[in-house]
Amino acid sequence: MSNTTGPQLAVVEGVLERITYANEENGYTVARVDTGRGAGDLLTVVGSLLGAQPGESLRLEGRWGSHQQYGKQFTVENYTTILPATIQGIRRYLGSGLIKGIGPKIAERIVEHFGVDTLDVIEQEPKRLVEVPGLGPKRTKLIGVAWEEQKAIKEVMVFLQGVGVSTSIAVRIYKKYEDASISVVKNQPYRLAADVWGIGFLTADKIAQSVGIPHDSPERVKAGLQYALSQSTDQGHCFLPEDQLISDAVKLLQVDTGLVIECLAELAADEEGVVREQVPAPNGGDPLTAVYLVPFHRAEISLAAQLKRLLRAPDDRLPAFQDVDWDKALAWLAERTGAELAPEQQAAVRLTLTSRVAVLTGGPGCGKSFTVRSVVELARAKKAKVLLAAPTGRAAKRLSELTGAEASTVHRLLELKPGGDAAYDRDRPLDADLVVVDEASMLDLLLANKLVKAVAPGAHLLLVGDVDQLPSVGAGEVLRDLLAEEGPVPRVRLTQIFRQAQQSGVVTNAHRINSGIQPITSGLTDFFHFVEEETEDAGRLTVDVAARRIPAKFGLDPRRDVQVLAPMHRGPAGAGTLNGLLQQAITPARPDVAEKRFGGRIFRVGDKVTQIRNNYEKGKNGVFNGTVGVVTSLHLDDQRLMVLTDEDEEIPYEFDELDELAHAYAVTIHRSQGSEYPAVVIPVTTGAWMMLQRNLLYTAVTRAKKLVVLVGSRKAIGQAVRTVSAGRRFTALDHRLTRV
């Protein structure tokens, strides 16, 4: 079915049978096409097939070649969709899931009724679909709307085809701008980086280049500067020193330094651009010029001001504790809880109930949890209103079990609304005398600011967390900044490990790692090391341990109770590869289990998944980066799957939103913060050499309640234990707190 249209360029027509691989980042696709040669003979096609859906008839232009493993194949340079003309083709096309509301069974009925005129009817007279048995006006209307939307998206896709934008991003561009999509892409491509999640500066820059925006255009340079700053916030920085920002931008944009300096000055003059400010150098040298994105500058100033306001508040919503008989109160508490508080814990309890703001820190087994429970018991005995929160659903559940009181995520506590604004803030504070936030090392600058703003003057705020763990995924090092030496925030650090905890290999080894001492890996019943020198072998063994060995020996559920924590996402022992292998082992393909292929991933009922971006539009109060859940149902006709999150909320995901979900059988250690699992398996390999640091391994080990298994080389574990994280993040919160 091919004919040549020039030297080596050929045309092939056929039906897209299936996509076997798709790279969401660059659109590279491997697919199988039925060219009508019969006998089930399918052609392998490679190249960019953005937006093409199984079941569609395609006209492909490209070149013939062969692959040593896969044989003859066709490399696509561009393609167009041609509507199928045969009844069989129309049935396949409609039943492919392309049009929301039409699955294989309904497609069968429609084609049976209208025959070869089916597509003309949907296009010109969609109301006639009600003639089909079982199709009511509601479903008919939905199909008409979905058909129009699909056509419009196709137009955007075709326009973006040469630019390497993935299908899901083209769909998002359409959802954001609808009929204005092509106009925005042509005339204001850098807007995409700010407006559309999943489009960074590099993709927007590629698009800008293809629509003719000059390399040295000020618009491009300003967008590049803001991109460099936003990249740095993704790495945890609240600002960048001006010199570093300029050199990063010159490298990124490949333009003159003078042009970058000019554009930076213009951005600084724009009140929605960037903010420049002198701040002390982190190492005590000469002050440096910090450049902030506006929201981060506002949040840092606001958080420092709000904390000082709380510390200096003249009112006290827990007045009973200013002149309480502490001996009597602590004796009553010991009777109620059945245990005495250690001196450090007593100090923490007194501090929290008498100071407006307090921080409680310490490692595992040092009694942070029992101290929190004691604070809550005493406050409630005095009829105080207590609110409990943590950054993740799992941590909130644990806090609730510990205190016997309801706890929620910080997002739910503040009732975040679409757009990220909170229902509770300075003008409408939380009705609480005491607010307790656990796992506070996870609080990033923006969330901490929203939280502290919502605490009423006179109320007490207790932040509890382990400052030696990894800092928050988002920008800032809030807990560490609050504990800065000269800072005004009262604090207690618990250091004494309780006898019961001393018997735990997990707790003992966590403290050894934190002190720079090798963990004990033999003779323990809850801490093991399986030695495997090669990274690939370590990856395979990790899967075997998590999916088979631990469930067999300890009776734990591999999906619910066992979590693989990898130092990095990439590589043979990275979370990405391990997720594919673990899915095969734990939730394999079965004829009775529905599945949906999206990009390079397959989603199935029963899959363990995690949200990978903050989405304020989803669920009751948004769904946040790191939320974990299980796929409970998958509807191919409606193109939607449901996820039950660890906060017991059912969240629907349209199929075009699936790039917000990743599998979570294995997650990176960074993403596991604030969660606790009965058992963790940690591949520690030389393949992750650059990532291996003490606080990373310490954070991973402290996620386990009962059992830790390290898989990998002794050399890699030694590297992790020895290496203290070099870089502090660029923040100035500690400086703002100490300023009078």
Side-chain angles (χ1 to χ4, degrees):
M1 285 201 63
S2 64
N3 63 297
T4 305
T5 57
Q8 299 175 306
L9 200 64
V11 174
V12 168
E13 288 186 5
V15 176
L16 180 59
E17 270 293 319
R18 62 178 179 272
I19 291 171
T20 50
Y21 169 79
N23 182 322
E24 281 300 305
E25 285 168 20
N26 59 21
Y28 179 79
T29 306
V30 179
R32 304 280 276 158
V33 170
D34 182 354
T35 56
R37 286 179 296 191
D41 197 4
L42 300 179
L43 171 67
T44 298
V45 170
V46 298
S48 181
L49 283 173
L50 292 173
Q53 301 280 353
E56 286 186 314
S57 294
L58 304 177
R59 186 172 191 276
L60 309 163
E61 283 191 8
R63 290 183 166 76
W64 289 100
S66 69
H67 186 282
Q68 60 191 71
Q69 193 177 342
Y70 304 113
K72 191 175 185 185
Q73 63 179 33
F74 190 76
T75 301
V76 181
E77 296 199 355
N78 51 60
Y79 82 91
T80 49
T81 306
I82 41 181
L83 292 176
T86 66
I87 284 185
Q88 185 194 359
I90 293 168
R91 192 187 293 121
R92 287 273 309 287
Y93 177 64
L94 280 184
S96 67
L98 182 70
I99 310 300
K100 195 175 289 188
I102 303 183
K105 284 179 186 157
I106 289 175
E108 187 83 40
R109 271 191 246 150
I110 296 173
V111 175
E112 209 168 283
H113 191 81
F114 295 113
V116 288
D117 298 330
T118 297
L119 299 180
D120 290 336
V121 170
I122 298 175
E123 170 81 45
Q124 318 223 335
E125 305 172 86
K127 286 182 179 153
R128 281 190 61 199
L129 288 169
V130 289
E131 298 170 19
V132 178
L135 276 191
K138 193 176 166 193
R139 177 67 69 94
T140 298
K141 192 175 175 195
L142 273 177
I143 291 170
V145 169
W147 178 267
E148 286 306 313
E149 188 174 283
Q150 189 58 39
K151 269 179 26 192
I153 289 172
K154 262 294 185 284
E155 199 184 334
V156 175
M157 297 260 191
V158 168
F159 178 72
L160 293 173
Q161 200 181 334
V163 191
V165 175
S166 73
T167 314
S168 54
I169 287 175
V171 169
R172 270 216 212 95
I173 290 173
Y174 177 76
K175 276 190 170 174
K176 177 78 185 169
Y177 306 115
E178 292 184 337
D179 294 344
S181 297
I182 289 175
S183 158
V184 170
V185 169
K186 270 184 180 166
N187 303 315
Q188 301 166 283
Y190 292 107
R191 251 182 82 183
L192 301 175
D195 291 355
V196 183
W197 180 76
I199 295 191
F201 170 80
L202 300 179
T203 304
D205 199 33
K206 228 192 249 181
I207 295 170
Q209 210 177 332
S210 71
V211 297
I213 288 178
H215 186 71
D216 58 356
S217 129
E219 186 194 357
R220 176 176 183 264
V221 177
K222 286 181 199 172
L225 280 160
Q226 287 180 307
Y227 169 71
L229 280 175
S230 100
Q231 283 289 93
S232 74
T233 65
D234 288 348
Q235 288 152 14
H237 301 298
C238 298
F239 67 81
L240 276 183
E242 186 178 44
D243 296 350
Q244 190 175 325
L245 173 61
I246 290 167
S247 70
D248 285 357
V250 168
K251 210 179 295 174
L252 169 76
L253 299 164
Q254 301 288 301
V255 294
D256 289 345
T257 307
L259 178 60
V260 171
I261 291 169
E262 271 172 45
C263 289
L264 181 56
E266 282 177 37
L267 271 178
D270 175 355
E271 57 186 44
E272 291 304 315
V274 299
V275 177
R276 283 199 289 203
E277 187 188 345
Q278 290 272 306
V279 301
N283 52 10
D286 293 336
L288 51 84
T289 302
V291 185
Y292 287 82
L293 288 172
V294 172
F296 293 91
H297 186 256
R298 282 185 189 146
E300 204 173 75
I301 285 177
S302 163
L303 177 55
Q306 303 297 340
L307 282 164
K308 288 181 191 170
R309 178 177 68 100
L310 291 180
L311 284 164
R312 295 167 185 165
D315 305 335
D316 189 351
R317 290 182 61 157
L318 293 176
F321 292 101
Q322 293 304 336
D323 49 12
V324 77
D325 181 335
W326 282 104
D327 291 341
K328 206 167 159 188
L330 294 169
W332 173 86
L333 184 66
E335 203 173 298
R336 182 159 172 86
T337 59
E340 295 268 342
L341 286 170
E344 286 178 338
Q345 293 175 307
Q346 289 182 18
V349 168
R350 292 175 70 153
L351 186 71
T352 301
L353 294 170
T354 55
S355 303
R356 310 292 192 278
V357 182
V359 175
L360 172 63
T361 189
C366 294
K368 286 198 304 296
S369 298
F370 188 63
T371 307
V372 171
R373 183 182 157 197
S374 303
V375 166
V376 172
E377 290 278 3
L378 281 170
R380 282 156 78 188
K382 295 290 186 188
K383 303 286 183 284
K385 288 180 182 164
V386 181
L387 286 178
L388 304 168
T392 66
R394 276 178 183 246
K397 260 186 188 165
R398 197 174 67 234
L399 185 59
S400 184
E401 286 159 12
L402 168 79
T403 56
E406 195 185 328
S408 69
T409 61
V410 176
H411 303 99
R412 276 180 194 273
L413 180 74
L414 300 176
E415 289 179 19
L416 290 191
K417 296 177 292 195
D421 291 329
Y424 293 95
D425 55 21
R426 190 168 175 171
D427 299 328
R428 186 195 174 200
L430 294 161
D431 182 16
D433 306 315
L434 170 65
V435 178
V436 178
V437 182
D438 198 7
E439 294 288 355
S441 60
M442 291 184 70
L443 287 177
D444 61 38
L445 173 66
L446 299 182
L447 186 58
N449 178 43
K450 288 186 172 94
L451 169 73
V452 174
K453 240 189 230 181
V455 179
H460 290 224
L461 172 65
L462 171 62
L463 298 172
V464 184
D466 184 346
V467 76
D468 294 321
Q469 283 181 31
L470 288 167
S472 55
V473 174
E477 272 189 301
V478 173
L479 191 63
R480 187 162 292 167
D481 284 342
L482 295 187
L483 291 168
E485 272 178 40
E486 303 299 314
V489 179
R491 77 287 307 267
V492 169
R493 183 171 192 135
L494 302 179
T495 54
Q496 181 189 336
I497 306 172
F498 287 89
R499 196 172 348 165
Q500 192 184 349
Q502 286 170 5
Q503 291 157 11
S504 155
V506 175
V507 171
T508 304
N509 277 332
H511 285 278
R512 287 175 72 91
I513 291 164
N514 202 29
S515 307
I517 305 166
Q518 287 291 324
I520 299 161
T521 55
S522 58
L524 297 172
T525 57
D526 62 350
F527 201 104
F528 301 90
H529 175 205
F530 290 168
V531 178
E532 196 62 84
E533 295 300 326
E534 294 300 322
T535 301
E536 270 182 55
D537 295 338
R540 280 194 290 271
L541 181 54
T542 298
V543 172
D544 192 42
V545 167
R548 298 181 192 91
R549 296 194 195 189
I550 289 177
K553 186 171 168 63
F554 296 95
L556 296 173
D557 180 304
R559 189 183 283 107
R560 189 185 61 239
D561 302 329
V562 183
Q563 184 63 54
V564 173
L565 301 179
M568 55 199 285
H569 184 75
R570 293 187 176 167
T577 302
L578 295 179
N579 262 318
L581 297 171
L582 285 160
Q583 184 193 33
Q584 283 170 30
I586 296 169
T587 317
R590 294 209 321 261
D592 58 328
V593 174
E595 61 177 48
K596 165 68 182 168
R597 181 180 288 279
F598 184 88
R601 296 197 280 270
I602 296 173
F603 291 96
R604 296 189 183 113
V605 173
D607 267 340
K608 186 175 177 179
V609 291
T610 179
Q611 172 81 10
I612 56 172
R613 67 172 284 226
N614 288 345
N615 186 335
Y616 296 98
E617 318 290 326
K618 276 198 157 318
K620 198 171 159 205
N621 297 118
V623 182
F624 297 91
N625 189 350
T627 300
V628 174
V630 173
V631 177
T632 51
S633 63
L634 203 151
H635 305 282
L636 295 172
D637 282 13
D638 297 332
Q639 298 187 33
R640 177 186 297 137
L641 59 76
M642 300 297 286
V643 173
L644 181 65
T645 71
D646 53 12
E647 292 172 54
D648 297 323
E649 186 179 7
E650 280 237 294
I651 306 285
Y653 285 82
E654 305 295 323
F655 282 174
D656 60 23
E657 298 175 312
L658 291 182
D659 53 354
E660 294 191 19
L661 283 181
H663 290 104
Y665 300 99
V667 297
T668 60
I669 296 166
H670 279 87
R671 294 187 69 80
S672 73
Q673 288 168 258
S675 293
E676 229 185 31
Y677 317 93
V680 302
V681 184
I682 311 163
V684 188
T685 66
T686 49
W689 195 255
M690 298 303 289
M691 296 293 294
L692 297 178
Q693 291 175 348
R694 188 180 298 171
N695 60 355
L696 189 83
L697 185 56
Y698 173 72
T699 299
V701 168
T702 54
R703 300 306 88 218
K705 281 195 273 199
K706 299 177 186 165
L707 175 68
V708 170
V709 181
L710 302 179
V711 180
S713 71
R714 288 194 177 90
K715 188 179 175 187
I717 292 168
Q719 164 77 358
V721 172
R722 278 192 310 275
T723 310
V724 178
S725 171
R728 281 294 307 271
R729 295 176 166 190
F730 289 119
T731 87
L733 178 63
D734 52 350
H735 153 67
R736 295 183 199 284
L737 283 168
T738 50
R739 256 194 336 207
V740 180

